């Protein structure tokens, strides 16, 4: 099995865990139980770090796409993938900034949450456009 297929396949549950834990973290922030909020915060950070590492491996397998983008411009490349890349960077940076915020209700947290919801939608569109390619990739022998 190709390494890229394994990376792509593991991205899916990591994405789901990160997305669900992020939404549940936000929801638990509206309740009065700090312990529940803290548990979801730990779960979301853990899931997001795993997802970030897998995305880094995924991007590494597609360095040609990014090199072509830098050398030749967007051209016929997927605008959805470019939007996903930029949005992912925004969510990562705002999430990292939240690690240094003390206190409840920071505005950057709401920006991170809203950008995260948009990232979920764009990620699902990106994934659905590529789902038909995954079975073919699984059948190819590893190089």
């Amino acid at each position: 099995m190709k390494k890229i297929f394994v990376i792509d396949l593991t991205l899916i549950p990591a994405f789901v865990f990160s997305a669900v834990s992020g939404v549940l973290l936000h929801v638990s922030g509206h309740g009065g139980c700090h312990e529940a909020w803290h548990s979801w915060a730990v779960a979301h950070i853990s899931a997001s770090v795993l997802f970030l590492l897998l995305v880094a491996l995924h991007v590494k397998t597609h360095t040609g796409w990014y090199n072509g983008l830098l050398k030749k411009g967007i051209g016929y490349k997927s605008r959805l993938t470019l939007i996903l890349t930029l949005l992912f960077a925004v969510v990562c940076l705002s999430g990292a900034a939240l690690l240094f915020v003390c206190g409840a209700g920071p505005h950057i947290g709401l920006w991170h949450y809203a950008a995260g919801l948009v990232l979920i939608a764009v990620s699902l569109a990106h994934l659905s456009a590529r789902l038909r390619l995954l079975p073919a990739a699984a059948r190819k022998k590893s190089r």
Side-chain angles (χ1 to χ4, degrees):
M1 192 175 306
K2 291 180 100 176
K3 180 173 73 169
I4 190 171
F5 173 72
V6 173
I7 293 168
D8 290 352
L9 204 55
T10 55
L11 268 169
I12 296 170
F15 162 72
V16 170
F17 188 36
S18 179
V20 168
S21 63
V23 170
L24 291 174
L25 171 60
H26 178 79
V27 169
S28 70
H30 291 288
C33 183
H34 178 74
E35 289 79 17
W37 176 87
H38 184 265
S39 295
W40 283 117
V42 170
H44 182 60
I45 292 168
S46 301
S48 297
V49 167
L50 173 63
F51 186 56
L52 175 64
L53 293 172
L54 290 169
V55 167
L57 291 173
H58 178 78
V59 168
K60 184 179 178 192
T61 63
H62 294 291
T63 53
W65 190 92
Y66 290 98
N67 287 337
L69 180 67
L70 293 173
K71 290 178 184 174
K72 299 177 185 173
I74 188 76
Y76 292 104
K77 296 196 178 300
S78 169
R79 281 149 175 74
L80 180 66
T81 303
L82 181 58
I83 291 168
L84 178 64
T85 300
L86 296 173
L87 192 56
F88 184 77
V90 167
V91 171
C92 286
L93 292 172
S94 62
L98 282 168
L99 293 174
F100 302 101
V101 170
C102 293
H107 291 295
I108 189 138
L110 293 176
W111 279 98
H112 177 73
Y113 177 66
L117 291 177
V118 175
L119 179 63
I120 290 170
V122 173
S123 296
L124 290 173
H126 178 78
L127 176 63
S128 67
R130 285 144 183 85
L131 271 180
R132 64 180 175 14
L133 303 174
L134 286 177
R139 288 190 296 272
K140 290 183 181 179
K141 292 189 178 186
S142 183
R143 294 180 187 191

